[in-house]
């Protein structure tokens, strides 16, 4: 692996530090933004809809760890086995474990594997999983986190054999807006933009940005929750759609509001207060206030869950051009 370090530029080699492998390290996290861009100093990767995984390799012993420090070895033994067979013997790499629904990574499909630990059940599961590796933090006796991202990805690609279930996370340069449009057309979750010269830091950073592709449609507002902390007005709206005469619950939406919107909507809600829920099913939310189902909101979201709820919903605005009774479910799982 020292020979591999010798392929780096002199400037990159100066940033290398010798270090023992850590037992744990916090992952770098991306910051959500809604302003796509193109820039030659950034690279753009597919946003994967799965479970974050840090893999620690020490002389053939592999530890797969979730973002909240839970062991994933029993859940994804095929990934641990593939990493144990690598020529690289001491490393820390960062990636995402995914399952596919067609050509699209699907967190909902991954659910069928996430909660299995019995070897026989795992072997019988039809859900294949893959570890998409996008970064390397340590290799051999070296700490690589101070290297620019492009250099880390170059080392990563050369240090491992990427055969299923291991996959290298490819990227594109510069043209972020075109790539995002393509990603959304393909039904991907979105993109991650990463500053090409950035080091790896163990916290959320604006050197990594995430752009989500979302579906959108109208929903009827049937209630709202109390605000928390310093939030004004309300916490989230409870939304649904009509199936014949029944208002079906689709989830709650807690993002997408500025203070002006919070004040304006709160005023509208208070004028429509009612004592009972307008939804067909029982809603198990705390501190809820019900309103007459007269307001229609436009909501963006990534997908429907198997339970019939919206994933990653975001409030986009009120619609005045559609009657509540005309709001039906448009997008299918």
């Amino acid at each position: 692996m020292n020979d591999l370090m010798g392929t780096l530029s002199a400037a990159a080699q100066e940033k290398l530090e010798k270090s023992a492998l850590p037992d744990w390290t916090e992952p770098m996290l991306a910051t959500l933004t809604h302003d796509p861009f193109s820039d030659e100093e950034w690279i753009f990767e597919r946003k994967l809809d799965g479970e974050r995984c840090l893999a620690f390799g020490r002389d053939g012993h592999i530890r797969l760890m979730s973002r909240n420090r839970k062991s994933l070895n029993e859940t994804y033994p095929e990934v641990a086995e593939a990493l144990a067979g690598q020529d690289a013997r001491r490393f820390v790499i960062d990636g995402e474990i995914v399952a596919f629904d067609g050509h699209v990574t699907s967190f909902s499909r991954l659910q069928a594997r996430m909660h299995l630990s019995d070897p026989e059940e795992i072997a019988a599961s039809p859900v294949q999983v893959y570890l998409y590796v996008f970064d390397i933090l340590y290799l051999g006796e070296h700490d690589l986190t101070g290297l620019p991202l492009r250099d880390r990805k170059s080392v990563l690609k050369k240090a491992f054999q990427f055969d299923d279930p291991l996959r290298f996370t490819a990227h594109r340069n510069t043209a972020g807006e075109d790539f995002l449009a393509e990603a959304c057309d393909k039904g991907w979750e979105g993109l991650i933009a990463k500053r090409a010269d950035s080091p790896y830091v163990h916290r959320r950073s604006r050197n990594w940005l995430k752009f989500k592709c979302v579906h959108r449609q109208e929903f009827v507002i049937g209630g709202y929750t109390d605000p928390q902390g310093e939030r004004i007005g309300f916490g989230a709206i409870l939304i649904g759609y009509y199936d014949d005469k029944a208002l079906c619950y689709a989830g709650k939406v807690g993002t997408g509001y500025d203070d002006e919107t919070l004040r304006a909507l709160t005023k509208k809600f208070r004028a429509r207060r009612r004592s009972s829920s307008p939804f067909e099913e029982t809603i198990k939310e705390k501190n809820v206030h019900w309103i007459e189902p007269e307001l229609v909101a436009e909501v963006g979201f990534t997908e429907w869950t198997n339970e019939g709820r919206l994933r990653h919903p975001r409030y986009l605005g009120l619609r005045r051009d559609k009657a509540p009774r005309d709001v039906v479910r448009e997008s299918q799982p």
Side-chain angles (χ1 to χ4, degrees), residues 133-303:
V133 187
F134 50 71
D135 217 324
I136 183 166
L137 286 65
Y138 293 81
L139 182 64
E141 59 183 5
H142 291 100
D143 177 350
L144 309 184
T145 57
L147 293 182
L149 174 60
R150 285 195 192 278
D151 289 311
R152 298 199 308 274
K153 288 184 75 78
S154 175
V155 169
L156 172 63
K157 193 170 186 179
K158 296 172 183 175
F160 291 83
Q161 294 294 320
F162 289 98
D163 299 313
D164 287 345
L166 304 180
R167 294 183 176 182
F168 178 78
T169 305
H171 65 269
R172 293 190 190 178
N173 299 304
T174 305
E177 290 161 306
D178 289 344
F179 193 17
L180 180 61
E182 178 183 335
C184 295
D185 287 343
K186 290 181 176 179
W188 295 358
E189 189 183 3
L191 295 182
I192 301 289
K194 299 179 177 179
R195 191 171 182 86
D197 62 356
S198 63
Y200 190 102
V201 296
H202 307 285
R203 61 181 183 275
R204 193 172 300 280
S205 170
R206 292 197 64 82
N207 283 330
W208 287 13
L209 301 173
K210 54 186 175 182
F211 307 96
K212 291 182 179 179
C213 298
V214 296
H215 302 289
R216 57 193 297 171
Q217 74 157 79
E218 303 89 0
F219 292 92
V220 179
I221 304 174
Y224 63 97
T225 63
D226 285 336
Q228 301 294 318
E230 298 181 357
R231 180 99 169 229
I232 64 173
F234 62 90
I237 58 173
L238 279 62
I239 59 172
Y241 59 91
Y242 278 98
D243 182 1
D244 195 8
K245 296 181 179 181
L247 183 60
C248 302
Y249 184 58
K252 61 180 181 179
V253 186
T255 62
Y257 315 99
D258 56 22
D259 286 351
E260 181 179 353
T261 302
L262 289 168
R263 292 189 183 95
L265 287 177
T266 300
K267 185 177 180 179
K268 293 179 182 295
F269 295 165
R270 288 174 176 170
R272 294 170 171 80
R273 289 280 292 269
R274 56 182 281 171
S275 60
S276 61
S277 170
F279 295 102
E280 178 74 5
E281 64 184 282
T282 300
I283 309 301
K284 298 180 180 179
E285 291 287 345
K286 296 181 180 179
N287 302 316
V288 173
H289 305 279
W290 307 114
I291 67 172
E292 295 294 340
E294 300 172 347
L295 299 174
V296 176
E298 181 89 1
V299 176
F301 58 98
T302 54
E303 65 176 357

Side-chain angles (χ1 to χ4, degrees), residues 26-39:
E26 292 290 336
M28 188 169 179
L29 303 176
T31 300
L32 179 64
T33 181
H34 303 286
D35 301 310
F37 61 90
S38 297
D39 193 313

